[in-house]
Amino acid sequence: MAYLDGYVIPVPEAKKEEYRALSEVTAALFLKFGATRVMETWSEDVPHGTATDFYRATLAEEGEAVVFAWVLWPDKATRDAGWGKLMEAPEMQGRTMPFDGKRMFWGGFEPIVDRGEG
């Protein structure tokens, strides 16, 4: 059964290209290590809510966009192994992240409905 990782990150708008370049590296590694699809998205039509929203959830500051991303894996075992390999990959060593990782949140999810393609 498929398994999905999702994560949300506030990223300074001025670092969009730096984040996109990092995403290209990590996406290639995720796919190399068993993922079947990687999607990184930059906020465009994300409203501010009255009780909660993506900005509040990440404590996004003025001048920051919110990235919503997901990685699709064939199963949880492949995901667990893939993340381990990603963290050890030489391409990831010594990198400075273009965002505040303390305000990033993530999780692994088991699909309960999966319809359509892509």
Side-chain angles (χ1 to χ4, degrees), residues 8-28:
V8 181
I9 313 165
V11 179
E13 292 171 358
K15 294 187 176 185
K16 181 178 183 179
E17 181 54 31
E18 187 179 343
Y19 183 82
R20 192 205 58 75
L22 172 65
S23 295
E24 290 287 351
V25 172
T26 56

Side-chain angles (χ1 to χ4, degrees), residues 26-109:
T26 56
L29 290 170
F30 280 134
L31 294 169
K32 177 181 176 181
F33 300 142
T36 59
R37 186 161 184 197
V38 178
M39 178 77 69
E40 296 262 0
T41 63
W42 191 263
S43 58
E44 179 182 300
D45 184 15
V46 180
H48 289 271
T50 56
T52 191
D53 58 35
F54 280 95
Y55 303 102
R56 285 186 181 114
T58 60
L59 302 177
E61 300 169 357
E62 186 70 31
E64 289 184 324
V66 177
V67 168
F68 173 70
W70 53 267
V71 181
L72 185 62
W73 302 91
D75 52 56
K76 187 175 186 300
T78 304
R79 175 261 202 166
D80 291 346
W83 268 105
K85 291 174 185 175
L86 178 84
M87 293 300 150
E88 298 298 320
E91 298 90 334
M92 297 304 294
Q93 303 312 306
R95 281 193 174 268
T96 301
M97 297 297 143
F99 56 86
D100 178 1
K102 293 181 205 137
R103 293 185 289 135
M104 174 183 184
F105 63 92
W106 62 90
F109 299 85

